[in-house]
Every structure is written in structure tokens, then in C-alpha cells.
Amino acid sequence: MSFSIFVKDNLIIISLLITILVFTIFNTKKILFLNSAYEKFLVNAPFISNIYIKNLIARFSLSLSFLLKSKVTLLEALKISRNISGNSIFRKEIDLLIKKISRGESFSAIVKNSKFFDVTFSQLLIAGEESAQMEKVFSLISNYYQKDFDFYLDNLTSLLEPILILFIGLIVAIILVAMYLPIFEIANNFGV
């Protein structure tokens, strides 16, 4: 009851804060410092980063596969595929790859030192460079990371389901206590 009185007395301030919060959430991409913080969070968060990076690599590899099948050069394909990602940290990493490849370094040797590309990616890339079938290798990489992404996402959602059920149960319990507690107090005061 005291919470509802608090909300009633401060309705204008609360509605203003909610409006600012909603505006900030929907315009995070437009606010530069929030966008970079959000991107850093996605890349470094403990559970989310693994899933997010696998999705980035799957989309990036699929784009490279299509472009290389269309007889686009590797450097041009990298330049085009870098724009598929909305993450500026990943795009900077691809820009670094493009610079090093244009200097003559091996693609597979460069990705070994990258924080985005793991051992599986570099090993498959080595096989693609040796067999000169990069478009097929990037298609395989895309399929592999897409399946891995789906697997991790399914596991994450199965872990979140019990937590959400407990959270909803807690909310229902709070509402029930808030509804029935005044009734019990009234009944005790009248001696019923």
C-alpha cells in the first residue's frame, strides 16, 4: 500500500524516468558512447560473448563464401563482408586483416592472433588455402559456426527457462501477499 502511495505521489517523475529509459534503450545505437560500451559488453560478457562471436563469424563466413563463389577477389570480399557486422570492434579487426593481407601475409597466419577467430577457424582456413578452395571452406565454416551458435543458444534458453519461471513465481507471490495481507489484518482487527 505504501508503494502505491509512493507511485501516486511521484507519478510525473516516475513516468519521466521511464520515458528517458525507453528512449535511451531504443536509441543506444545512435548514442556513440553507449553503442561502443554495448559492443564491448557483447564481445566480453561471459556467456553472451561466445554465442555472439559465433554468430558474427557464421554471417561473415557465409558472406565471404558467396562473394568468392562470384569470383570476387579475397581483399574485395573482405572489404564487403566487413560491413555485414554491426559491431565496430569486429569491423576494426577485419580492417586489420585487410591491411596485413594486402602486405602479403597469410590469412590463416593472421587469424591465429585474433581474439575473434578460434583454432577451428584457422585450421579450416589453412585447409582452404592449401587446397585453393576458399569458397567451399568458408561455406563449411559458416555451417559449422551456425550449428554451434544454434547449439549454444538452445542451451542458454534451456538454462534461462527455470530462472524465468522462478522470477514470475516470485512476482505472483508478491502480488498475492500484497492482496491478501490487508484482508488478514482487517480480519484480525475485527476479531474474526
Side-chain angles (χ1 to χ4, degrees):
M1 289 175 85
S2 59
F3 179 73
S4 64
I5 292 169
F6 172 78
V7 170
K8 183 180 157 191
D9 291 343
N10 300 307
L11 188 62
I12 296 171
I13 295 170
I14 292 172
S15 60
L16 185 63
L17 288 174
I18 291 172
T19 305
I20 290 170
L21 181 67
V22 168
F23 177 78
T24 305
I25 289 171
F26 284 114
N27 291 309
T28 302
K29 294 274 184 189
K30 294 177 185 172
I31 302 170
L32 194 59
F33 74 93
L34 286 178
N35 188 25
S36 64
Y38 176 68
E39 289 173 349
K40 284 179 186 173
F41 170 76
L42 286 175
V43 171
N44 297 320
F47 296 109
I48 300 170
S49 66
N50 197 15
I51 297 170
Y52 181 71
I53 289 173
K54 286 182 187 306
N55 187 31
L56 279 176
I57 293 173
R59 288 177 27 210
F60 174 71
S61 301
L62 185 63
S63 171
L64 278 175
S65 172
F66 285 139
L67 290 166
L68 291 173
K69 281 179 188 173
S70 302
K71 305 299 180 205
V72 177
T73 64
L74 180 61
L75 280 174
E76 285 301 314
L78 284 169
K79 288 176 186 175
I80 294 168
S81 296
R82 77 176 275 289
N83 295 325
I84 292 208
S85 171
N87 191 304
S88 63
I89 300 169
F90 186 72
R91 285 197 307 260
K92 287 177 186 173
E93 186 77 20
I94 300 305
D95 287 338
L96 188 66
L97 287 175
I98 292 168
K99 286 178 187 174
K100 289 183 177 181
I101 290 172
S102 63
R103 281 191 241 140
E105 294 183 44
S106 168
F107 194 175
S108 57
I110 299 167
V111 296
K112 283 183 182 178
N113 300 325
S114 173
K115 68 177 179 179
F116 283 99
F117 303 104
D118 59 2
V119 176
T120 306
F121 187 91
S122 63
Q123 293 297 323
L124 288 170
L125 197 56
I126 289 169
E129 286 178 342
E130 290 174 358
S131 65
Q133 302 217 342
M134 296 287 279
E135 66 276 353
K136 289 182 182 177
V137 168
F138 279 119
S139 180
L140 287 171
I141 289 172
S142 175
N143 289 335
Y144 172 78
Y145 281 101
Q146 189 61 47
K147 286 178 184 174
D148 214 17
F149 168 74
D150 292 339
F151 174 74
Y152 274 101
L153 197 61
D154 288 342
N155 284 341
L156 184 66
T157 53
S158 67
L159 286 173
L160 285 177
E161 284 174 6
I163 295 169
L164 289 175
I165 290 170
L166 285 173
F167 181 71
I168 291 170
L170 182 66
I171 290 173
V172 169
I174 289 171
I175 291 171
L176 286 174
V177 167
M179 283 175 36
Y180 287 116
L181 196 61
I183 295 172
F184 292 139
E185 287 180 7
I186 293 171
N188 285 339
N189 288 340
F190 286 118
V192 176

